[in-house]
């Protein structure tokens, strides 16, 4: 299954937990060189939902902060499989790159 870099980042942040949009965005932007905005986050979440990689549910109607009702996202089993596949692929690429440096005396 094809995942964009943002899709992969979102799934990684959701690994083993359920978060609402602002929490996801805060986690993604902790060390990110270029800040991700809501305008990129929500289309990605919708795309992941359509692929069956995330689900969501509404939070309590009355929020203690008095803010809007929150939509909580979590990764599905299919999402976990897709993330694992991509992570294994990236690890394999890193191993090959390291082996290539050793074989050819690269830096």
């Amino acid at each position: 299954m094809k995942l964009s870099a943002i899709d992969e980042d979102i799934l990684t942040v959701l690994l083993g937990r359920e978060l609402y949009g602002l929490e996801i965005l805060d986690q993604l932007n902790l060390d990110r060189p270029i800040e991700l905005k809501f305008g990129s986050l929500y289309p990605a979440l919708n795309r992941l939902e359509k692929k069956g990689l995330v689900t969501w549910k509404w939070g309590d109607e009355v929020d203690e902060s008095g803010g809007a009702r929150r939509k909580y996202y979590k990764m599905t089993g299919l999402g976990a499989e897709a993330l694992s596949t991509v992570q294994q692929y990236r690890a394999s690429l890193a191993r090959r790159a390291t082996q290539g440096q050793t074989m050819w005396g690269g830096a």
Side-chain angles (χ1 to χ4, degrees), residues 2-43:
K2 185 176 178 183
L3 294 177
S4 71
I6 292 174
D7 295 346
E8 185 180 348
D9 290 350
I10 291 169
L11 290 175
T12 301
V13 165
L14 289 174
L15 192 59
R17 56 188 175 166
E18 189 175 84
L19 301 171
Y20 64 93
L22 182 58
E23 290 176 318
I24 296 169
L25 203 58
D26 286 346
Q27 290 297 308
L28 290 171
N29 285 330
L30 281 175
D31 299 317
R32 193 179 201 88
I34 298 172
E35 187 175 291
L36 188 68
K37 304 284 187 190
F38 283 109
S40 298
L41 176 66
Y42 285 107

Side-chain angles (χ1 to χ4, degrees), residues 28-89:
L28 290 171
N29 285 330
L30 281 175
D31 299 317
R32 193 179 201 88
I34 298 172
E35 187 175 291
L36 188 68
K37 304 284 187 190
F38 283 109
S40 298
L41 176 66
Y42 285 107
L45 285 167
N46 289 332
R47 189 172 51 249
L48 290 168
E49 181 189 4
K50 286 180 183 173
K51 291 179 179 181
L53 305 179
V54 300
T55 59
W56 62 269
K57 70 174 184 178
W58 286 113
D60 295 334
E61 284 195 42
V62 178
D63 184 78
E64 63 274 357
S65 68
R69 191 171 180 195
R70 293 177 177 160
K71 202 176 195 180
Y72 287 86
Y73 295 88
K74 73 176 186 176
M75 185 172 17
T76 64
L78 183 60
E81 287 177 32
L83 179 60
S84 177
T85 299
V86 169
Q87 289 174 333
Q88 289 172 15
Y89 168 71

